[in-house]
Structures are given as structure tokens and as C-alpha cells.
């Protein structure tokens, strides 16, 4: 019995030593000198306008999804659409939530469109009619035409059904400033 314990102990000790030796990084005293490309800034090339356009489009899709979450996802016991209590329980909180995705004027327009004076189950009843003239969540890049005058800070695009969305960069991310059928 003690021979088995001793053998097991020796095997365990061998595995621990081997594991420790294998897991430690090899010591390399002759490290290569950094190359010129490694010394260059991490963003040596400018972002293409196509990439910027996609960021604006994706930001608008996310913003529309968040508005749907806030105003159309929750239902009262009698199946009325209500302001999502997870994100907000007042107009001010709803506008604050939306301000991460929309500029302040657009967030106010959304709140004015969706919020009613009615209450159900202690929550504000929301307008079931969609604010946005088209659902971006059902579109693809092929359904979008980007404005030729777009810049690194402003992206406009039009859907195939004629709705123009405008986004602008604020604090290194895009927010929606307008959505209108032309």
C-alpha cells in the first residue's frame, strides 16, 4: 500500500514539475529590436469612407432597435403597449435612455410621438404606431444608398423606399439626428 502511495506521489510530483516547466515562458535574452512599423502609430491608415458609412448605418439600426425596446416591447396585462419599465418609468428617463442613440431633438420627438397620457399597470401607455417610416432592421446594405457628401463625422443614407436617415459622430460614436421620408 505504501509503495502505491509513494509511486502515486512521485508521479504527481513529476507531473507538477513538468507542468511548471512547460508553462513558464522561455527566457530570451536576445530580443529583436522593434521594427519601424511597430514604432508607427497603431492607426497608420485612415478609415475608409465605406467603413464610416457602415458605422453610421449600423448605429441607426441599433438606435431603431433601442426605440422599439423602449416603446414597443412591453405590454400591460390587457395587452396595451407600455413604456418598458426596465429602461424607464418617466418621459425624462426615456429621453435620457434614448440620448445614447439619438440627438436630444430626435429623442424628444420620439418621446412626444410614443408617450401618451394614459396609464396601464402603473406604466405609461405608448402609441402603437411606428415613428420611423421604414424598419431598418429588415434592410441590408444592398437596400441602402449612401450620400456622396458623407464625411468622417456625418453619414446620411436613403433606403430603397425613400427614407433618409442622418447620423453624426459624437464622442467617437454615431447617433441619429433625423429620419424622414422625402
Amino acid at each position: 500500500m505504501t509503495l502505491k502511495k509513494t509511486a502515486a506521489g512521485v508521479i504527481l510530483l513529476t507531473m507538477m514539475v513538468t507542468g511548471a516547466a512547460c508553462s513558464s515562458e522561455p527566457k530570451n535574452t536576445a530580443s529583436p529590436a522593434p521594427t519601424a512599423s511597430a514604432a508607427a502609430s497603431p492607426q497608420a491608415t485612415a478609415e475608409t469612407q465605406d467603413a464610416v458609412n457602415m458605422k453610421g448605418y449600423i448605429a441607426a439600426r441599433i438606435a431603431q432597435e433601442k426605440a422599439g425596446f423602449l416603446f414597443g416591447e412591453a405590454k400591460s396585462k390587457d395587452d396595451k403597449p407600455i413604456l418598458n419599465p426596465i429602461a424607464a418609468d418617466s418621459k425624462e428617463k426615456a429621453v435620457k435612455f434614448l440620448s445614447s442613440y439619438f440627438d436630444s431633438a430626435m429623442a424628444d420627438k420620439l418621446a412626444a410621438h410614443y408617450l401618451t397620457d394614459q396609464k396601464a399597470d402603473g406604466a405609461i401607455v405608448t402609441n402603437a404606431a411606428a415613428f420611423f417610416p421604414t424598419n431598418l432592421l429588415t434592410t441590408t446594405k444592398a437596400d441602402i444608398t449612401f450620400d456622396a457628401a458623407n464625411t468622417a463625422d456625418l453619414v446620411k443614407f436613403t433606403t430603397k423606399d425613400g427614407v433618409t436617415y442622418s447620423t453624426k459622430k459624437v464622442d467617437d460614436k454615431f447617433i441619429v439626428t433625423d429620419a424622414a421620408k422625402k
Side-chain angles (χ1 to χ4, degrees), residues 7-147:
V10 169
I11 291 172
L12 183 61
L13 183 61
T14 304
M15 289 175 36
M16 289 173 36
V17 169
T18 305
C22 290
S23 67
S24 66
E25 277 190 36
K27 305 281 190 270
N28 187 359
T29 57
S31 63
T35 62
S37 63
S41 70
Q43 191 167 358
T45 58
E47 192 172 36
T48 66
Q49 189 60 49
D50 284 342
V52 172
N53 287 347
M54 285 307 294
K55 285 183 178 182
Y57 169 63
I58 291 168
R61 286 175 57 113
I62 291 170
Q64 197 173 71
E65 180 182 27
K66 295 302 181 181
F69 164 76
L70 187 64
F71 298 118
E73 195 170 283
K75 303 279 185 201
S76 67
K77 290 176 187 169
D78 57 351
D79 207 34
K80 290 181 182 176
I82 57 172
L83 183 62
N84 197 322
I86 293 172
D89 58 7
S90 68
K91 178 183 177 183
E92 293 76 24
K93 288 181 182 177
V95 169
K96 184 177 179 182
F97 174 82
L98 292 171
S99 68
S100 295
Y101 309 99
F102 300 93
D103 72 355
S104 60
M106 188 76 173
D108 285 337
K109 284 182 193 177
L110 282 162
H113 172 80
Y114 281 110
L115 299 178
T116 69
D117 293 334
Q118 301 172 19
K119 294 254 184 180
D121 300 337
I124 300 171
V125 173
T126 59
N127 181 1
F131 175 85
F132 297 99
T134 191
N135 184 356
L136 282 179
L137 301 177
T138 62
T139 64
T140 65
K141 185 180 177 186
D143 300 326
I144 303 299
T145 303
F146 291 101
D147 193 322

